[in-house]
C-alpha cells in the first residue's frame, strides 16, 4: 500500500518502521526538519518505567507492561553493591525490569535510516492542515493515499477535542564526579525527579509536569527545584556542567491515556503523554491490527 503519515515524531517513526517492515511505501510529512527538535520524542528522557510510573500514572499503563516484576527493598549495603555512588542513601527500591531508550540517539538513527530508505519520501518543513479519508492536506494541495495516519502529537489539536499539551522541562548535565548506571528516581512528596544516565557521564534530569502549552525556556522555579533535588541525590552534581535545558509539551488526552481512532482510510494515534517510548511499539501494533490491517 501507498501510505501517508502526518507527523514524524516518535509515533510517526515507529509507524513508518513497522510499515516498511511489512513491505509498504511510506510518504512522511513534518513541519520540522528531519533532524529538528520540535517533537516531544527528541526531548524525552526515554525511560521505560512501567512500575515506577505507577506512583503517578494510571494503572492501565501498568497493564501494557506484561512482565511481572518483583520490586526489591534495598538497605544501604545492598544499594552500595548495585550503585556505589548512591550509598549515602539509607534505602531504595530496585525495579529489575525497567530500562531506557536513548531518545536522542533513536531519533537521529531513525532519521538516517528513513532518509536513506528507497521506499520512503520525507517532506520536511511541510505543515499539514488536515488528515482525513485517505488524504493529507498541505496548504491548498490535497495528497491522496491508500491509507493515512495522523501522528502529529499536540499538532493534531482541532481534530481531537480533548487534546492538550503538558509542559515538561529537562536538564542535560555533564557530571564527571557522578557514576550512576541506572535510571534513578527520587521519591519525594514535592520534588519528583529522575536521573537518566547517558554515555560519558552525561545525565538527563527531569522532568517538570505543568498544565500549560507554553514551550518557552525553563523557568527559574523549575531550574531551582530540579537542580536542588539532583544535588540532594548526589553531591557530585555540584560541579556538573549544564549543557542543555529543554522544554517541550507531551501530547495528552483527557484521561492521559493513548487513543487510536479509525475512520475511512485513516487512523489517528495520539495521547501518549509521559509514556511514548514505553507504549509506542504496543500502541502502533494495535493500530495496525485493527485499522489498515497492513
Ligand atoms: C520532557 C519530556 C520527557 C519525557 N520523558 C519520557 C520518558 O522518559 N519515557 C517515555 O516513554 N516518554 C517520555 N516522554 C513522552 C514522549 O516524548 C511522548 O509521549 C511522545 O514523544 C509522543 O509522541 P508523538 O509522536 O505523539 O508526538 P511527538 O513526538 O511530539 O511528534 C509529533 C510530530 O508531529 C509534527 N507536527 C506537529 N504538527 C504538525 C503539522 N501541523 N504538520 C506537520 N507536522 C506536524 C511535529 O513536528 C513532531 O515531529 C517525555 C516527554 C517530554 C516532553
Amino acid at each position: 500500500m501507498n501510505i501517508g503519515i502526518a507527523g514524524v515524531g516518535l509515533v510517526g517513526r515507529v509507524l513508518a518502521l513497522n510499515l516498511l517492515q511489512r513491505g509498504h511505501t511510506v510518504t512522511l510529512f513534518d513541519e520540522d526538519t528531519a533532524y529538528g527538535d520540535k517533537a516531544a520524542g527528541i526531548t524525552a528522557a526515554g525511560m521505560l518505567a512501567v512500575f515506577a510510573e505507577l506512583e503517578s500514572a494510571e494503572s492501565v499503563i501498568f497493564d501494557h507492561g506484561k512482565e511481572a516484576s518483583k520490586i526489591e527493598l534495598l538497605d544501604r549495603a545492598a544499594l552500595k553493591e548495585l550503585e556505589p555512588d548512591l550509598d549515602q542513601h539509607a534505602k531504595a527500591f530496585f525495579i529489575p525490569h525497567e530500562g531506557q531508550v536513548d531518545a536522542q540517539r533513536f531519533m537521529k538513527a531513525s532519521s538516517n535510516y528513513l532518509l536513506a530508505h528507497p521506499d520512503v519520501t520525507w517532506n520536511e518543513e511541510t505543515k499539514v492542515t488536515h488528515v482525513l479519508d485517505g488524504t493529507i492536506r498541505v496548504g491548498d494541495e490535497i495528497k491522496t493515499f491508500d491509507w493515512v495516519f495522523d501522528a502529529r502529537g499536540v499538532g493534531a489539536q482541532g481534530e481531537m477535542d480533548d487534546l492538550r499539551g503538558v509542559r515538561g522541562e529537562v536538564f542535560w548535565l555533564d557530571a564527571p564526579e557522578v557514576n550512576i548506571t541506572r535510571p534513578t528516581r527520587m521519591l519525594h512528596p514535592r520534588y519528583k525527579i529522575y536521573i537518566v544516565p547517558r554515555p560519558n557521564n552525561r545525565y538527563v534530569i527531569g522532568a517538570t509536569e505543568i498544565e500549560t502549552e507554553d514551550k518557552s525556556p525553563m523557568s527559574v522555579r523549575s531550574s531551582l527545584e530540579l537542580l536542588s533535588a539532583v544535588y540532594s541525590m548526589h553531591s557530585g552534581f555540584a560541579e556538573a556542567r549544564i549543557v542543555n535545558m529543554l522544554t517541550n509539551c507531551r501530547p495528552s488526552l483527557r484521561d492521559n491515556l493513548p487513543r487510536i481512532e479509525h475512520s475511512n482510510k485513516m487512523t489517528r494515534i495520539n495521547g501518549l503523554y509521559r509514556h511514548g517510548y514505553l507504549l509506542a511499539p504496543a500502541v502502533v501494533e494495535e493500530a495496525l491490527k485493527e485499522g489498515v490491517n497492513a
Side-chain angles (χ1 to χ4, degrees):
M1 289 170 91
N2 191 9
I3 292 181
I5 301 177
V8 200
L10 177 58
V11 170
R13 285 158 198 256
V14 175
L15 261 170
L17 294 170
N18 272 272
L19 290 164
L20 290 169
Q21 236 173 16
R22 293 162 202 225
H24 302 288
T25 300
V26 172
T27 305
L28 305 171
F29 299 84
D30 201 290
E31 63 181 355
D32 203 358
T33 60
Y35 297 100
D37 59 4
K38 285 192 180 156
I42 191 101
T43 316
M47 277 182 308
L48 308 175
V50 184
F51 301 96
E53 283 286 321
L54 281 178
E55 194 200 356
S56 52
E58 304 297 326
S59 67
V60 89
I61 299 299
F62 175 82
D63 299 336
H64 280 271
K66 300 250 185 317
E67 269 181 79
S69 178
K70 60 180 185 349
I71 297 177
E72 295 169 27
L73 178 59
L74 306 180
D75 61 15
R76 195 187 301 269
L79 176 59
K80 185 171 181 176
E81 206 164 298
L82 216 56
E83 290 287 349
D85 254 40
L86 291 174
D87 72 341
Q88 73 272 30
H89 299 283
K91 61 182 178 189
F93 296 98
F94 175 46
I95 313 177
H97 290 121
E98 294 199 343
Q100 63 152 312
V101 170
D102 185 331
Q104 292 73 38
R105 282 175 73 188
F106 167 73
M107 294 296 277
K108 190 173 170 196
S110 53
S111 291
N112 291 342
Y113 178 83
L114 292 170
L115 286 169
H117 200 291
D119 296 329
V120 175
T121 306
W122 191 324
N123 299 288
E124 301 180 54
E125 297 181 273
T126 305
K127 189 176 169 87
V128 171
T129 45
H130 286 293
V131 183
L132 203 63
D133 296 342
T135 64
I136 289 182
R137 186 172 183 148
V138 177
D140 291 338
E141 266 186 272
I142 295 178
K143 323 260 184 191
T144 305
F145 297 93
D146 297 324
W147 198 276
V148 291
F149 288 90
D150 186 355
R152 286 175 293 162
V154 180
Q157 270 173 340
E159 317 262 18
M160 290 175 124
D161 286 351
D162 57 340
L163 179 61
R164 73 190 197 286
V166 177
R167 176 175 163 104
E169 299 150 298
V170 295
F171 276 108
W172 294 6
L173 303 181
D174 279 355
E177 293 176 27
V178 178
N179 282 298
I180 299 173
T181 64
R182 295 172 174 78
T184 303
R185 267 168 208 255
M186 180 158 91
L187 292 175
H188 185 280
R190 188 181 157 106
Y191 304 117
K192 298 188 192 307
I193 64 144
Y194 52 71
I195 299 172
V196 182
R198 294 280 154 77
N200 304 318
N201 297 82
R202 174 159 296 175
Y203 297 91
V204 178
I205 312 298
T208 56
E209 178 165 346
I210 304 168
E211 284 292 341
T212 170
E213 289 174 359
D214 175 1
K215 284 173 75 170
S216 62
M218 189 183 296
S219 69
V220 168
R221 179 201 296 253
S222 297
S223 67
L224 288 171
E225 290 185 357
L226 289 171
L227 293 180
S228 307
V230 81
Y231 173 64
S232 76
M233 285 278 284
H234 192 305
S235 57
F237 280 110
E239 278 305 315
R241 295 297 181 258
I242 299 170
V243 290
N244 217 342
M245 299 162 82
L246 302 173
T247 304
N248 215 322
C249 284
R250 309 166 176 99
S252 315
L253 295 162
R254 192 174 296 122
D255 53 7
N256 290 337
L257 295 175
R259 191 180 300 159
I260 303 168
E261 284 180 5
H262 304 289
S263 63
N264 180 33
K265 294 189 190 171
M266 196 232 6
T267 302
R268 292 191 211 282
I269 304 175
N270 217 316
L272 275 80
Y273 181 48
R274 294 174 61 105
H275 313 293
Y277 278 88
L278 176 68
L279 299 181
V283 171
V284 164
E285 191 72 35
E286 205 173 309
L288 292 181
K289 220 186 292 163
E290 290 172 357
V292 59
N293 207 7

